[in-house]
Each structure stands twice: as structure tokens, then as C-alpha cells.
Amino acid sequence: FQDSVHLLLHRYGVLGYAPAVWRLLPLLRARLPLMSPKQIALSAWGLARTLVNDPETWDSLGDQLRQRAEDFNLTDLAMIAWAWATIDRVSPAELVALKQEVRSRLMGKVLEGASSHDLCMLFKALAKLTPDDNRFHQWLLLLLVEGMASQSLSFTAQGLVGTWSVVATFRWRPGPDVMEALCEDTRMLRLDHTFNQDMAVELAQALVKLDVSDARPTYQIVDFVGRKGLSLRGDALLILAEFFALRGISDELAWKRIGMRAQQRGIDLRRAELDRLINAFKRSGKGNQRVYGMMDLFVKIREDQDKYGTA
């Protein structure tokens, strides 16, 4: 039991059961010096997954990283960075140690042995923890783009969309070569079965913020709506409808799916959101009497709820 505390933390993390994790903290702190880097990273993941933010325990975990940073592999470092980002832990000494180790492992090295999942996780986590460290983020982004261009890294839908999302948060904008590599690698995103509505929304928002009108990433969203539009949630439906209207997308099948789903799930939206959805249909010219009739009904229901309350 004592030797497997990291596995227990991982299991409870998967379950999201924080009370048991809190009870294991004294044992974890006692066992940390005897744990391997992988076990430490797994323990940090379990704590972050259950949002257990005990300062003493996290200080102990950070001490182990600073003292043994060279023993952690890239996957371990990525997992710890993700854990810090999840609980918003910003410790300058720990972040410096982690970044230095990441640089020492990747600077001037061949990327074939690296995992795109680890690099994307590091990129997203460190961008959240240290948003103003432009030099480090630009270096890491160039590594990702190098892997895309040389095809030495294979990116999943989650990794690609996450990269787009992170780039959209920066105050600076990447050069044309970087954007070209991102657009080109996104070209086959629709073939990844893990590409879902949350990723489609995230990609659409990133494209708008970056003012990217390239047809390659845009088509991935259009294709997804055409295939899976009838399963969209109300919030995703609204954002994608506004994206279509803003970009002047006229795909008949995709708009048909949006119109049908709006009649089914529009009731999930608030009054102001319904007005936005109606405006998207009007702006695109893709609305019809049936769609507007259902939208008017939903608006009246919301007005009644605002006036008299819910039943």
C-alpha cells in the first residue's frame, strides 16, 4: 500500500474523489523522497485532477523537482506542468527549474524521439503559467512547427487545436511561415475521430481572434458541422453559427444542420444568446420561417420566465 500511493492518487484522480486524496497527503509527503520521477508526476496529476491544493504538499513536490530535475523525462515534466496550470500554481523557482530542464532536453536535439502530446501539453500549460515569457513560448512554438514541417511529430486533434488556442492568447502574432505550417497540418483534422464539438468551437474562436481566413482550417469546422451538426449543444451551436455568419460560409448542408439543431436545442439558450443566434441566421440569409418561428417561441418562453420565474 505504501509503495503504491501514487497509483491510489491516480485512481482517485480518475474518479475525481478529493476526500480520499486529502487523507493520503501525509503518506504522500513521507514517501516523496523515495519515489521515482514518474511516480511523483503521477501523484501531482492526481492532486491536480481532484483540485487538491495543499500548499505543504505542493511545496514538497516542487522541492523534489528542483533537486532531481535531470531525472525527470519530458513526459513527467509535461504532466507536472499540466498539474501546476490546473491549480494555478506559480512558483518562480520551480518554473525556472522546469523550463531549464525542458530546454536542456530539446535544445539542438532531434525531435523524432519526442512526443507531440508532451510538447503541446507543455506549450499550453506554460503559456498559462507564464504568459509574458515570449522568448520561451516562441522557441517552443518553433519546435512544434518544425515537427509539423518535417513530419517528425504526429499531432492529434487535441494537440493541434490546443496549439491554435494557445497562439490566439498571445499578444504577439507568429510569422507567416508558422501560420502556414499550422494551416497545412490542420488540413486533415477532419479525419481524426477524436475531433469533437468542443475542439471545433475552440478552433473557430482561435481563427477569429487571429483573423485567419485560410480555407484549410475553416473547412474542418464546416465538415464537422455537416457530419455531426445534429448533436451540437446549444452553446456550441451558437458559437459555430456566429462563426459561419462572420466568415460568409454558405455550405447548404452545414446550415441545414444548424437550422435543424437550433429548433431542437435553442431552448437551452438564454434570451441574449437567442438574439445572437437569430442575428446569425439573418446575417447569413440562411434562416426560414420555421427557424424564426421556433426562435420567437423560445424568446417568448424566456421572456415569461424572466417575468414570472420558472415553474
Side-chain angles (χ1 to χ4, degrees):
F1 172 78
Q2 292 181 349
D3 293 338
S4 303
V5 64
H6 61 286
L7 296 178
L8 281 172
L9 291 169
H10 177 264
R11 297 296 183 273
Y12 285 129
V14 172
L15 296 172
Y17 188 58
V21 175
W22 280 101
R23 287 195 291 270
L24 289 171
L25 294 185
L27 177 59
L28 171 62
R29 290 194 295 268
R31 297 289 303 176
L32 275 176
L34 304 176
M35 284 184 171
S36 68
K38 183 174 292 294
Q39 293 171 344
I40 292 173
L42 205 60
S43 299
W45 183 91
L47 266 63
R49 184 70 173 75
T50 52
L51 300 179
V52 173
N53 193 0
D54 177 62
E56 184 180 356
T57 302
W58 281 104
D59 287 344
S60 299
L61 286 165
D63 289 341
Q64 291 299 315
L65 173 67
R66 288 189 292 109
Q67 294 167 13
R68 296 192 277 162
E70 67 279 359
D71 298 330
F72 286 74
N73 60 33
L74 205 59
T75 301
D76 301 332
L77 295 171
M79 195 175 295
I80 289 177
W82 177 89
W84 288 347
T86 301
I87 63 166
D88 294 320
R89 178 178 175 81
V90 181
S91 169
E94 295 169 8
L95 284 168
V96 167
L98 186 141
K99 287 183 177 181
Q100 287 178 341
E101 190 58 32
V102 169
R103 277 189 179 276
S104 68
R105 291 183 177 276
L106 295 176
M107 187 73 76
K109 306 290 179 63
V110 179
L111 289 177
E112 291 179 356
S115 163
S116 65
H117 177 73
D118 296 338
L119 293 177
C120 291
M121 193 187 303
L122 280 166
F123 186 52
K124 189 169 187 177
L126 294 174
K128 178 182 179 182
L129 293 168
T130 55
D132 295 325
D133 191 356
N134 296 340
R135 185 175 179 182
F136 185 87
H137 300 322
Q138 289 169 356
W139 168 75
L140 196 50
L141 177 59
L142 288 176
L143 281 181
L144 292 171
V145 170
E146 179 186 333
M148 294 175 187
S150 64
Q151 297 185 344
S152 58
L153 294 175
S154 178
F155 289 82
T156 62
Q158 183 181 25
L160 270 176
V161 174
T163 301
W164 275 104
S165 180
V166 171
V167 170
T169 65
F170 293 143
R171 298 174 184 173
W172 49 272
R173 290 292 176 258
D177 292 343
V178 172
M179 300 310 299
E180 169 62 25
L182 277 171
C183 289
E184 180 61 22
D185 222 55
T186 309
R187 186 168 56 89
M188 307 300 288
L189 192 62
R190 66 190 184 280
L191 301 181
D192 191 325
H193 71 280
T194 64
F195 185 58
N196 57 36
Q197 60 182 302
D198 292 316
M199 295 182 192
V201 166
E202 194 174 351
L203 179 58
Q205 291 174 324
L207 292 176
V208 171
K209 192 167 184 179
L210 291 167
D211 195 25
V212 173
S213 57
D214 193 286
R216 288 168 291 184
T218 301
Y219 179 70
Q220 312 312 308
I221 302 171
V222 176
D223 177 78
F224 175 81
V225 173
R227 290 184 294 108
K228 301 291 184 67
L230 294 181
S231 63
L232 291 173
R233 298 187 311 271
D235 59 330
L237 172 73
L238 172 60
I239 293 172
L240 292 177
E242 289 183 322
F243 174 74
F244 276 39
L246 179 65
R247 291 302 168 87
I249 296 170
S250 59
D251 187 90
E252 292 296 333
L253 177 60
W255 271 111
K256 183 178 179 180
R257 296 286 187 266
I258 289 176
M260 293 174 64
R261 193 57 175 169
Q263 297 172 59
Q264 297 170 344
R265 303 284 9 134
I267 190 62
D268 296 337
L269 300 175
R270 296 188 295 269
R271 170 62 195 276
E273 293 172 333
L274 285 168
D275 290 340
R276 288 166 53 192
L277 184 57
I278 292 170
N279 288 335
F281 278 111
K282 290 181 178 179
R283 186 174 180 180
S284 64
K286 296 297 181 179
N288 54 44
Q289 289 184 349
R290 185 178 180 87
V291 170
Y292 292 134
M294 291 300 295
M295 294 301 103
D296 288 341
L297 174 61
F298 295 152
V299 168
K300 289 177 181 178
I301 291 174
R302 289 292 180 233
E303 288 177 344
D304 288 346
Q305 288 177 341
D306 292 340
K307 186 179 295 186
Y308 304 110
T310 57

